Amino acid sequence: MSSSAATGSGPSTLTRFGGSPHHSWFVVLLAALLALLLELAFATPAFALAPERYLCDGDPLQAQVENGAVDALNLPNTAAGTVPGAVVLLRWREQVLQLPRTNNAGAPSYSDGQWWWSVEDPEHPRFLQSRGVISSFACQRQDSGA
């Protein structure tokens, strides 16, 4: 038995585990490709949709949906490209509201327990506030040129 066969190195070891000397670089390449595919499958890059402009109770409102980096594509209810974990930023009457996405069925809705926003009808979204009683604010989409 040669010294290379006795120590477990050399061509006989490569033959036993895959055959060719190119086997090791192929395994490294395959592992890197698998790691990349797993990263793409389980991580969604953060992104924000273009802000929408509305008029709510006579005052301008800007709504912008943002998905966070922790969102996963395999969650249920991914309507309109959003998943639970997304937020909507509402700029209205000198305040900024950050409402988390609910997991309610149907069109995406957002709520922090006091405010509620839903775009079931994109031309007339529902905007509510609950402080003992529910207040509803009439909203309509503004023309993009306005």
Side-chain angles (χ1 to χ4, degrees), residues 38-125:
L38 286 172
E39 178 69 26
L40 292 175
F42 293 108
T44 302
F47 74 91
L49 300 175
E52 297 286 338
R53 300 191 190 294
Y54 300 93
L55 210 57
C56 293
D57 267 12
D59 293 317
L61 180 143
Q62 179 180 318
Q64 183 167 3
V65 174
E66 295 185 7
N67 280 347
V70 298
D71 295 334
L73 293 176
N74 57 352
L75 291 175
N77 194 9
T78 58
T82 65
V83 294
V87 297
V88 65
L89 296 175
L90 302 176
R91 291 173 175 83
W92 183 63
R93 294 184 177 170
E94 298 183 22
Q95 57 186 334
V96 178
L97 303 170
Q98 180 177 337
L99 308 179
R101 166 84 152 69
T102 70
N103 197 24
N104 296 342
S109 62
Y110 304 84
S111 179
D112 65 357
Q114 179 180 352
W115 295 93
W116 191 72
W117 174 262
S118 174
V119 289
E120 189 171 327
D121 176 359
E123 295 302 314
H124 302 279

Side-chain angles (χ1 to χ4, degrees), residues 1-10 12-13 16:
M1 186 167 3
S2 73
S3 64
S4 65
T7 61
S9 63
S12 62
T13 302
R16 187 173 29 182

